Amino acid sequence: MSPVPHRFSPRRFSQTLVTQALDDALASSASTPVLAISGVQGSGKSTLAAQVVELARSRGLCAAALSIDDTYLTRAQRQRLADRIHPLLATRGPPGTHDLPLALSTLDAAKAGHAFPLPRFDKLADERVPELQWSQIQQPLDLLVFEGWFLGTPAESDAALEAPLNALEREADADGTWRRWCNQALADDYPALWQRFDRLWFLQPPSFAVVPQWRWQQEQALQQASPGRTSMSRPQVERFVQFYERISRQALRTLPDIADRTIALDAQRRPL
C-alpha cells in the first residue's frame, strides 16, 4: 500500500439495498422505529446509515442517524475507570466505555417523539463534543438509524476469556481483568440498549483480518478532513484495533444468527 495518505471514500451501497433497509425499518410497528446497523470498524455502517436517512428524507420523512461512538464516556470518566479497575479502560471502544444512560435516554426520547440533542464525539481529540455544539432534533422523528461496531453482540462465556488472543491481551491484560470486566459490562448493561432496536442489520466482513486495513483507511480520512490535527500512525492503529478484536470476533460468530438481515461483504466492502 502507498505510504501517502489518501482520502477514504467508502463505497456507497446500492439503492436497492438502501431501500430494503428503510422499508424493513418502517415495516416495524414502532411509531419511531430504530434501525440498528452493526458491523466491524470500517465496514460502511455510517455510509449505509447516511444513505438510509437520505432516502427517508427524500420521501418527506423526518430521520436522523446516531453512532454508539458518539456516546463514549469523556476522557476524564474513562481515566477514572482506568485508575479504579484497569489501565486499558482509558482507551475508548470496548463495552464499559460508553455512557449508557446517555445512549438509552437518547433512543427513548426519539421513540417517544420528544425533542432531544444528538450527542457527538470528536475521535481525533478523543473527547466528547461540548453539549452546546450538539445538533438538536426539534420535531418527532419517523426513523432513527443507530450504528455501531458491536450492536447486538452477546457476551462470551467465562471459558472463552481464559487465553489472551492478541499481543495487547498478552502484554497488558495477562490476568484477564480487563477483558473479564468488559465482558461483564456487555452481559449486564448492554442488553437494555439492544432491546430498543426494532430492526438489526449486520454488515459482515470476510474475516477479522480485513479490519486493521479498513480502520487505517478511516484514520487517514479523519486526518484528511482535519489537516494539522494529530491522528494515529499505522502502528498505533494496529494496536488500537486489538482493543476491539475479541468482541469483533464474537460478533462475527454470533450476529448472523441474531440479526434480522446479514449483508456479507468482500474485502473491498462490496456486498456479495
Side-chain angles (χ1 to χ4, degrees):
M1 188 184 77
S2 167
V4 179
H6 61 281
R7 185 174 295 279
F8 171 47
S9 179
R11 179 184 298 272
R12 285 174 67 85
F13 292 90
S14 72
Q15 196 66 15
T16 298
L17 183 64
V18 175
T19 300
Q20 290 172 351
L22 176 58
D23 289 346
D24 187 37
L26 296 178
S28 101
S29 59
S31 56
T32 302
V34 173
L35 168 62
I37 302 175
S38 190
V40 298
Q41 295 167 289
S43 58
K45 302 179 299 298
S46 60
T47 298
L48 180 57
Q51 287 184 257
V52 171
V53 168
E54 180 182 282
L55 178 59
R57 290 174 177 171
S58 76
R59 295 185 184 179
L61 301 175
C62 186
L66 174 68
S67 173
I68 195 173
D69 293 356
D70 286 316
T71 67
Y72 282 132
L73 295 170
T74 66
R75 191 186 308 179
Q77 289 170 325
R78 285 179 279 126
Q79 187 57 55
R80 286 195 288 273
L81 285 178
D83 294 340
R84 181 167 57 90
I85 297 164
H86 194 282
L88 290 181
L89 289 169
T91 299
R92 69 178 190 262
T97 64
H98 299 89
D99 186 335
L100 284 179
L102 173 62
L104 290 167
S105 65
T106 301
L107 266 61
D108 286 346
K111 293 179 81 68
H114 297 160
F116 64 95
L118 277 175
R120 288 289 179 258
F121 190 89
D122 184 336
K123 290 182 177 178
L124 287 182
D126 191 27
E127 186 60 277
R128 188 181 296 170
V129 173
E131 189 168 349
L132 289 175
Q133 298 176 28
W134 297 358
S135 59
Q136 300 289 320
I137 302 298
Q138 301 287 6
Q139 64 187 88
L141 289 179
D142 298 302
L143 172 69
L144 179 66
V145 184
F146 187 54
E147 54 94 356
W149 70 275
F150 69 110
L151 300 186
T153 305
E156 292 183 274
S157 67
D158 289 341
L161 304 173
E162 289 292 341
L165 57 69
N166 58 31
L168 176 76
E169 292 189 359
R170 287 192 298 273
E171 297 164 6
D173 188 40
D175 66 358
T177 297
W178 169 73
R179 57 185 180 268
R180 292 179 191 283
W181 190 88
C182 292
N183 191 65
Q184 196 62 51
L186 183 58
D188 293 345
D189 303 331
Y190 287 77
L193 186 60
W194 306 163
Q195 289 166 9
R196 265 67 172 182
F197 304 162
D198 297 289
R199 292 290 189 272
L200 174 62
W201 280 44
F202 177 47
L203 300 179
Q204 182 182 34
S207 72
F208 184 80
V210 301
V211 176
Q213 172 68 10
W214 287 0
R215 183 59 185 84
W216 172 235
Q217 290 171 337
Q218 280 188 318
E219 193 67 19
Q220 290 176 303
L222 288 171
Q223 180 60 35
Q224 291 273 354
S226 302
R229 298 184 65 192
T230 302
S231 62
M232 287 187 282
S233 66
R234 182 63 185 263
Q236 287 173 324
V237 167
E238 295 278 354
R239 178 176 172 83
F240 185 61
V241 167
Q242 292 182 36
F243 282 81
Y244 296 73
E245 181 173 359
R246 175 174 289 279
I247 293 168
S248 293
R249 292 185 182 277
Q250 171 73 343
L252 295 181
R253 286 190 294 267
T254 60
L255 286 185
D257 292 328
I258 294 173
D260 296 295
R261 177 85 182 267
T262 296
I263 307 299
L265 307 175
D266 67 13
Q268 284 72 48
R269 303 176 188 78
R270 293 175 300 212
L272 299 173

